[in-house]
Amino acid sequence: THGKGHKERVVPASPRLLGELREYWKLRRPGNYLFPGRTADVPLSTATVQKACKLAVAQARIHKAATPHTLRHSFATHLLEDGYDIRTVQELLGHADVKTTMIYTHVLNKGGKGVISPLDNR
């Protein structure tokens, strides 16, 4: 919450992730926040999330820079690569203008592969 434009960001969670989160909850039984900060009544700080991301990148031996925003960017890019339409991705990302969402299309390299002529698709 409270992201850019003070919009809440909602991302669909996979059944696999939900299962993992349920197991975590059963073990930890967190209070107000699923991932609390220093005390149970405050959420993780932005700095803590950034540090955790940096540590994960180092442990995975990834040599490119990656931040929590990289996860958002990757999510959008994978949706587009999997064939989701730009308007759906725009809505999921909370973009007011589709031009903002179009930024994520620069990495797509379909090159016309697999395109079937509309004349042949009848």
Side-chain angles (χ1 to χ4, degrees), residues 1 11 20 48 52-53 57 59 65 72 82 86 92 98 105 115:
T1 62
V11 177
E20 295 287 334
T48 300
C53 186
V57 168
Q59 287 178 342
R72 177 177 164 82
D82 289 347
I86 194 79
L92 284 170
V98 73
T105 63
V115 173

Side-chain angles (χ1 to χ4, degrees), residues 20-36:
E20 295 287 334
L21 291 174
R22 282 187 184 99
E23 290 301 315
Y24 164 80
W25 188 86
K26 286 177 189 176
L27 288 172
R28 297 287 181 116
R29 299 283 184 187
N32 296 335
Y33 296 96
L34 185 58
F35 302 108

Side-chain angles (χ1 to χ4, degrees), residues 4 7 9 69 72-73 76 80 86 89-90 93-106:
K4 189 174 179 182
K7 293 181 183 175
R9 307 299 187 192
H69 187 78
R72 177 177 164 82
H73 185 86
L80 291 168
I86 194 79
V89 177
Q90 175 189 2
L93 295 179
H95 293 158
D97 190 339
V98 73
K99 289 178 188 172
T100 308
T101 313
M102 295 295 286
I103 293 166
Y104 297 98
T105 63
H106 79 279

